Amino acid sequence: MGDQGAAGRLSPRRWRILSYLAQHGAATTLDVALVCGVSRLTAHRDLVGLHEAGLVRRDRSAEDRTHTWFYEVTPEGTDVLRRVLAASGQPVPLRLGQRPSGKADALLFLPLVEVSRRNPGRCELFQWLAMMETSAWLRQHDLAQLRADGYGVWLQDGRCLRFLVHVDRGPIGGVIAEHERATSGLGGLLAGYRRADRLVPVGAVLVIVQDGEREERLRVDLRREPLRNAVATTTQQLLYRHWPDEQVWQVPGESGRRRLIEVGS
């Protein structure tokens, strides 16, 4: 089945899957099931259909004992999506089909989507922008010096939190002395906020660091030189063990942890 024929027969959900892969990079069947709010079996059937149409490709690591397939959009799938968007008068996102998977997607976006699905009517991830769209949003607010991994709007119990999220990549550079590992790379995470001459229009800046030691070093830095915006930190380990809306966020100067919706209040 060729591209043109396949494109003409795609269901709205398969269009959504194709668009998601083109804008977020690789995804598993479970990721797609969460985003679309369907069962794994339904997501698997859709992905297989897109794969057979040549619109997505799949791969898995020989070292992965779970044998998980990761799906990505193909150049043909990207071209089909680009033409459809242009023909309908919609903007074509930058680097469509060429984006790496975002750490913020796995650590925050997809878990919040699942929390929303499990608690309908009580909470919702109302909006999410991936890294490229977040950069465009920041430029619109004359904040081009900031680099964030995502922007979101979280609704819970009648309250709203708009946030930017940054993910700590860990120590940067080549060989790093052991005593530098806990701080290497942390300084640049929030440097743009210190250059800004005003508040960034969000309720909180969220920072996800690699481990507890790096989180404590960042908290010390924030107590010494606070930002204009409210900041909350957590670790990747905590987000692997808990849902991100739970009490996993720590505010500089406080001993306990807050729920996501309480950050910035």
Side-chain angles (χ1 to χ4, degrees), residues 16-38:
R16 183 180 180 187
I17 294 171
L18 195 65
S19 178
Y20 177 77
L21 293 175
Q23 295 186 61
H24 292 260
T28 66
T29 301
L30 178 57
D31 296 339
V32 170
L34 289 176
V35 169
C36 294
V38 296

Side-chain angles (χ1 to χ4, degrees), residues 7 13 15 22 33 54 57 59 63 70 89 93 101 144 152 182 192 209 212 228 235:
R13 189 175 62 242
W15 275 119
R57 60 176 174 267
D59 193 19
E63 289 76 32
F70 284 86
S101 299
V209 294
R228 290 184 174 90
T235 67

